[in-house]
Amino acid sequence: QVQLVESGGGSVQAGGSLRLSCAASGRTNDLVMGWFRQAPGKEREFVAIPHWSDGSTVYADSVRGRFSISRDNAKNTMFLQMSSLKPEDTAGYYCVGDPIIGRHWNSGLVDYWGKGTLVTVSS
Protein backbone atom coordinates (compact mmCIF):
# COMPACT_ATOMS: atom_id res chain seq x y z
CA GLN A 1 0.00 0.00 0.00
CA VAL A 2 0.95 3.60 -0.55
CA GLN A 3 -0.03 6.69 1.38
CA LEU A 4 0.08 10.14 -0.21
CA VAL A 5 -0.18 13.27 1.91
CA GLU A 6 -0.42 16.72 0.37
CA SER A 7 0.44 20.00 2.04
CA GLY A 8 1.05 23.61 1.13
CA GLY A 9 -2.38 24.71 0.01
CA GLY A 10 -3.84 28.04 1.04
CA SER A 11 -5.16 31.35 -0.14
CA VAL A 12 -3.23 33.63 -2.44
CA GLN A 13 -3.94 36.62 -4.61
CA ALA A 14 -3.90 36.38 -8.37
CA GLY A 15 -0.37 36.55 -9.68
CA GLY A 16 1.05 34.93 -6.59
CA SER A 17 2.78 31.61 -6.07
CA LEU A 18 2.37 28.51 -3.97
CA ARG A 19 4.31 25.29 -3.66
CA LEU A 20 2.46 22.10 -2.91
CA SER A 21 4.17 19.06 -1.47
CA CYS A 22 3.24 15.41 -1.62
CA ALA A 23 4.91 12.97 0.73
CA ALA A 24 4.68 9.32 -0.24
CA SER A 25 5.11 6.43 2.16
CA GLY A 26 4.69 2.68 2.01
CA ARG A 27 5.59 0.74 -1.13
CA THR A 28 7.15 3.60 -3.06
CA ASN A 29 9.88 1.76 -4.96
CA ASP A 30 8.19 1.83 -8.37
CA LEU A 31 5.71 4.59 -7.65
CA VAL A 32 5.03 7.17 -10.35
CA MET A 33 3.34 10.33 -9.12
CA GLY A 34 1.36 13.19 -10.55
CA TRP A 35 -1.22 15.87 -9.76
CA PHE A 36 -4.92 16.31 -10.44
CA ARG A 37 -7.27 19.06 -9.41
CA GLN A 38 -11.00 19.55 -9.08
CA ALA A 39 -12.70 22.90 -8.93
CA PRO A 40 -16.13 23.33 -7.31
CA GLY A 41 -18.84 22.13 -9.65
CA LYS A 42 -16.36 20.93 -12.25
CA GLU A 43 -14.92 17.60 -13.27
CA ARG A 44 -11.49 16.66 -12.11
CA GLU A 45 -8.67 17.30 -14.52
CA PHE A 46 -5.05 16.38 -14.66
CA VAL A 47 -2.50 19.05 -13.86
CA ALA A 48 0.74 17.14 -14.39
CA ILE A 49 1.00 13.46 -15.15
CA PRO A 50 3.52 11.11 -16.72
CA HIS A 51 3.32 10.64 -20.47
CA TRP A 52 1.81 7.25 -21.23
CA SER A 53 4.77 6.07 -23.28
CA ASP A 54 7.93 7.39 -21.67
CA GLY A 55 6.93 8.81 -18.30
CA SER A 56 8.01 12.35 -19.07
CA THR A 57 5.85 14.96 -17.40
CA VAL A 58 2.87 16.25 -19.32
CA TYR A 59 1.27 19.47 -18.14
CA ALA A 60 -2.28 20.52 -18.81
CA ASP A 61 -2.53 23.33 -21.36
CA SER A 62 -4.06 25.57 -18.72
CA VAL A 63 -0.98 25.38 -16.47
CA ARG A 64 1.90 24.83 -18.86
CA GLY A 65 4.57 27.45 -18.34
CA ARG A 66 3.23 28.41 -14.91
CA PHE A 67 3.39 25.13 -12.97
CA SER A 68 6.30 22.76 -12.64
CA ILE A 69 7.08 19.53 -10.84
CA SER A 70 10.17 18.69 -8.90
CA ARG A 71 11.14 15.78 -6.69
CA ASP A 72 13.22 14.97 -3.67
CA ASN A 73 13.72 11.26 -4.20
CA ALA A 74 15.59 10.82 -0.94
CA LYS A 75 12.48 11.98 0.92
CA ASN A 76 9.92 10.39 -1.41
CA THR A 77 8.42 13.84 -1.90
CA MET A 78 7.13 15.55 -5.01
CA PHE A 79 6.48 19.26 -5.32
CA LEU A 80 4.17 21.28 -7.52
CA GLN A 81 5.43 24.83 -7.92
CA MET A 82 2.60 27.08 -9.02
CA SER A 83 3.30 30.59 -10.26
CA SER A 84 1.28 33.37 -11.86
CA LEU A 85 -1.79 31.92 -10.21
CA LYS A 86 -5.20 32.81 -11.59
CA PRO A 87 -8.64 32.65 -9.95
CA GLU A 88 -9.46 29.75 -12.26
CA ASP A 89 -6.70 27.75 -10.57
CA THR A 90 -8.87 27.62 -7.46
CA ALA A 91 -9.44 23.93 -6.74
CA GLY A 92 -8.64 21.00 -4.56
CA TYR A 93 -5.28 19.64 -5.63
CA TYR A 94 -4.68 15.93 -5.34
CA CYS A 95 -1.46 13.98 -5.43
CA VAL A 96 -1.87 10.67 -7.22
CA GLY A 97 0.31 7.64 -7.77
CA ASP A 98 0.49 4.36 -9.62
CA PRO A 99 3.30 1.89 -10.28
CA ILE A 100 2.47 1.79 -13.99
CA ILE A 101 2.40 4.57 -16.57
CA GLY A 102 -0.21 4.41 -19.29
CA ARG A 103 -3.25 6.01 -20.81
CA HIS A 104 -5.29 5.31 -17.67
CA TRP A 105 -3.55 8.26 -16.10
CA ASN A 106 -5.45 10.70 -18.35
CA SER A 107 -8.74 9.89 -16.67
CA GLY A 108 -7.34 9.54 -13.20
CA LEU A 109 -7.80 5.78 -13.01
CA VAL A 110 -4.70 5.36 -10.90
CA ASP A 111 -4.22 3.30 -7.79
CA TYR A 112 -3.53 5.93 -5.15
CA TRP A 113 -4.98 9.31 -4.28
CA GLY A 114 -4.17 11.69 -1.50
CA LYS A 115 -6.91 13.50 0.40
CA GLY A 116 -6.12 16.78 -1.31
CA THR A 117 -5.19 20.30 -0.37
CA LEU A 118 -7.24 23.38 -1.19
CA VAL A 119 -5.87 26.26 -3.22
CA THR A 120 -7.88 29.46 -3.38
CA VAL A 121 -6.82 32.28 -5.69
CA SER A 122 -8.56 35.60 -5.27
CA SER A 123 -8.73 38.34 -7.89
Side-chain angles (χ1 to χ4, degrees):
Q1 281 290 350
V2 171
Q3 294 77 42
L4 303 172
V5 179
E6 305 94 335
S7 61
S11 297
V12 64
Q13 289 192 329
S17 299
L18 278 175
R19 189 177 79 157
L20 306 184
S21 300
C22 175
S25 60
R27 299 186 63 178
T28 61
N29 280 359
D30 299 321
L31 189 67
V32 182
M33 297 164 68
W35 291 92
F36 273 72
R37 70 183 181 184
Q38 187 166 21
K42 295 187 177 182
E43 294 187 358
R44 70 187 179 194
E45 59 178 354
F46 81 85
V47 175
I49 59 173
H51 189 279
W52 67 269
S53 66
D54 62 6
S56 60
T57 301
V58 176
Y59 295 94
D61 290 344
S62 57
V63 308
R64 189 176 299 116
R66 300 188 297 122
F67 291 13
S68 65
I69 277 182
S70 61
R71 295 173 179 83
D72 183 339
N73 292 326
K75 296 182 178 180
N76 289 325
T77 300
M78 180 178 62
F79 305 98
L80 179 67
Q81 179 67 47
M82 306 185 295
S83 303
S84 301
L85 283 162
K86 305 175 181 180
E88 51 264 44
D89 294 318
T90 294
Y93 283 73
Y94 298 87
C95 178
V96 301
D98 195 294
I100 302 172
I101 60 172
R103 297 184 188 276
H104 62 290
W105 274 84
N106 295 48
S107 53
L109 296 177
V110 296
D111 284 352
Y112 306 107
W113 284 73
K115 293 184 178 180
T117 186
L118 183 62
V119 171
T120 303
V121 184
S122 58
S123 57

